[in-house]
Amino acid sequence: MATSPNPATVGTPKKKDESFLDKIGTIGRKKKAKEVNILEEEGKMAIESPTSPTIPDVGPEGYLLDELEERSMIEPTSKEDPKVQELIKILLDWINDVLADDRIIVKDILEDLFDGQILQKLIEKLADIRVQVPEVTQSEQGQKQKLQIILSVINRLLQLQWNQVRWSVDKVHSKNLVAILHLLVTLARHYRAPIRMPDNVSVNLIVVTKRDGILQTKKVVEDITTINDDIGARFERDAFDTLFDHAPDKLNLVKKTLVTFVNKQLLKINFEVADLEAQFHDGVYLVLLMGLLEGYFVPLYDYHQTASTFDQKVHNVQFAFDLMQDAGLPRPKARPEDVVNQDLKSTLRVLYNIFTKYKGQGA
């Protein structure tokens, strides 16, 4: 017959004796947790008070601010604003178009851009440069060091004053949507991306500042875009808009006419074009064409004969525009950047502007 176990010999295991250091560590952890809880309650009381705007719960780390330190966050409803979502989609489509040759597909504007790798590829394509950075790294420190190099290159190319830069390494790496949008919108404008961004996109920010140990909050409206008067500007519709929209057959006839017109001049110096948008985008043929039509030699030091970078091509096209105005032609509707970006409608407008003045000129 089995006997019941002796309670003296079978029971709960004895608790392991804690050393003095273990006890100190436990006390320290409890103290830290208590501080966090106090700060969290302090933050929530300040935020939930009737005189303060409502802000999202960002957890204890959101309230661990130093004196006079400031932190901002987007109101959740602003992220879902249709205009914000439209802007994000347009920017993503633009990035994917630029990086199409590299077979890179960007799906998330925050998750795919925060470490700098996509930004590196993007600026290399836009500016036709090579950015020397360390190899891919997974460590936060390594990512930030790489991002610092990339953003420094971007800021230098954009030629912004320090107070015009609305992004930073910490903001981009922490996936700050506002900073990343500001960066991409500025790049798109500088390099005249062939996109139409929605006007007057803004987000509501909650700014939290710690003063005298108390969290103070305020709501700020942050403008991301205004009226796009410097990119894809709203010119009055002209004949080319109608041709593109309603008469593609006549458009082809216009293109053939302009090809014949320009080749009549360029063949004098043994040049010939077949593709208007591709062969005029660096501005060289535009400069040569104006020299031939006006009967003068354009000094070689005035333009880049083998333009390779975006800025060099813009310089050439702008120089050609200056020559046109010197010859009495009206200022072109198109921007130099539009021609460099191989926007066919813009290139046709420029060439047709020349054609209407010189079409009767003999060979």
Side-chain angles (χ1 to χ4, degrees):
M1 182 174 175
T3 58
S4 61
N6 187 341
T9 59
V10 179
T12 56
K14 288 185 179 180
K15 186 176 180 181
K16 182 181 178 182
D17 292 338
E18 290 184 328
S19 67
F20 176 74
L21 291 177
D22 290 335
K23 291 179 180 178
I24 292 296
T26 301
I27 294 171
R29 285 192 296 273
K30 289 181 178 178
K31 183 178 180 182
K32 184 68 175 178
K34 183 177 180 181
E35 289 176 353
V36 170
N37 289 335
I38 292 173
L39 283 170
E40 183 175 3
E41 289 303 316
E42 174 190 332
K44 287 184 177 180
M45 286 176 63
I47 290 164
E48 293 170 359
S49 65
T51 58
S52 299
T54 302
I55 71 171
D57 183 3
V58 294
E61 69 280 359
Y63 308 114
L64 292 176
L65 304 180
D66 294 328
E67 184 66 18
L68 299 181
E69 185 180 354
E70 185 176 278
R71 186 167 300 165
S72 63
M73 60 210 75
I74 304 178
E75 282 190 334
T77 52
S78 281
K79 290 183 182 180
E80 303 306 320
D81 183 279
K83 293 181 76 171
V84 173
Q85 291 299 312
E86 180 188 0
L87 177 61
I88 291 173
K89 182 180 185 306
I90 288 171
L91 290 171
L92 285 176
D93 290 343
W94 169 58
I95 294 171
N96 286 325
D97 285 343
V98 173
L99 302 180
D101 291 343
D102 294 327
R103 300 177 183 243
I104 293 174
I105 298 178
V106 179
K107 296 181 178 179
D108 191 301
I109 202 167
L110 301 180
E111 296 297 331
D112 293 342
L113 269 68
F114 82 97
D115 62 359
Q117 292 190 65
I118 297 298
L119 288 174
Q120 177 192 348
K121 294 290 185 183
L122 182 63
I123 194 61
E124 286 179 341
K125 280 284 187 179
L126 293 174
D128 197 13
I129 60 173
R130 177 69 179 166
V131 181
Q132 298 297 329
V133 292
E135 294 297 323
V136 178
T137 176
Q138 297 300 320
S139 71
E140 179 178 342
Q141 182 180 0
Q143 288 176 347
K144 285 187 173 182
Q145 288 175 347
K146 181 176 181 177
L147 188 58
Q148 177 66 61
I149 296 172
I150 295 164
L151 291 182
S152 296
V153 170
I154 291 174
N155 294 344
R156 186 178 72 251
L157 291 170
L158 294 177
Q159 298 180 331
L160 298 175
Q161 299 296 325
W162 67 269
N163 58 347
Q164 295 176 299
V165 179
R166 312 290 291 276
W167 51 87
S168 67
V169 172
D170 287 336
K171 287 181 178 179
V172 173
H173 194 268
S174 65
K175 305 174 187 177
N176 183 302
L177 178 61
V178 173
I180 291 174
L181 286 177
H182 274 309
L183 174 57
L184 293 177
V185 168
T186 305
L187 283 171
R189 284 180 172 161
H190 182 80
Y191 289 102
R192 293 302 191 270
I195 59 177
R196 167 75 69 182
M197 293 186 286
D199 294 340
N200 299 319
V201 177
S202 62
V203 295
N204 294 325
L205 297 180
I206 300 300
V207 181
V208 184
T209 309
K210 191 168 189 177
R211 297 180 185 276
D212 299 325
I214 299 174
L215 295 178
Q216 300 178 0
T217 63
K218 62 180 178 180
K219 182 181 290 188
V220 176
V221 177
E222 180 85 1
D223 293 329
I224 306 298
T225 69
T226 52
I227 297 296
N228 291 324
D229 56 354
D230 61 340
I231 177 172
R234 293 179 175 82
F235 293 114
E236 292 183 6
R237 287 180 62 83
D238 58 14
F240 282 102
D241 291 304
T242 303
L243 286 174
F244 271 79
D245 294 343
H246 306 294
D249 54 333
K250 292 182 180 179
L251 176 63
N252 289 329
L253 179 60
V254 171
K255 289 170 66 176
K256 289 179 181 178
T257 301
L258 292 177
V259 167
T260 301
F261 166 72
V262 298
N263 280 336
K264 185 177 179 180
Q265 300 300 323
L266 293 177
L267 283 170
K268 297 175 183 178
I269 52 175
N270 298 318
F271 288 119
E272 187 175 8
V273 300
D275 188 337
L276 294 178
E277 56 189 312
Q279 291 183 269
F280 278 94
H281 83 287
D282 63 2
V284 174
Y285 282 163
L286 281 176
V287 172
L288 295 176
L289 183 61
M290 288 308 303
L292 289 165
L293 291 168
E294 285 294 310
Y296 56 75
F297 175 77
V298 182
L300 301 179
Y301 55 77
D302 279 339
Y303 65 101
H304 302 280
Q305 300 172 68
T306 55
S308 58
T309 69
F310 183 86
D311 289 339
Q312 289 176 347
K313 295 171 185 177
V314 169
H315 168 85
N316 284 355
V317 177
Q318 181 59 62
F319 178 57
F321 284 9
D322 294 340
L323 296 180
M324 293 173 202
Q325 290 184 269
D326 290 344
L329 286 163
R331 178 178 176 270
K333 279 187 173 183
R335 297 173 182 78
E337 293 84 356
D338 298 330
V339 177
V340 173
N341 280 326
Q342 301 188 36
D343 180 72
L344 178 58
K345 192 185 297 185
S346 298
T347 305
L348 291 179
R349 284 192 176 110
V350 172
L351 292 175
Y352 190 76
N353 194 30
I354 300 172
F355 172 77
T356 54
K357 178 178 174 65
Y358 298 100
K359 60 185 176 182
Q361 189 163 308

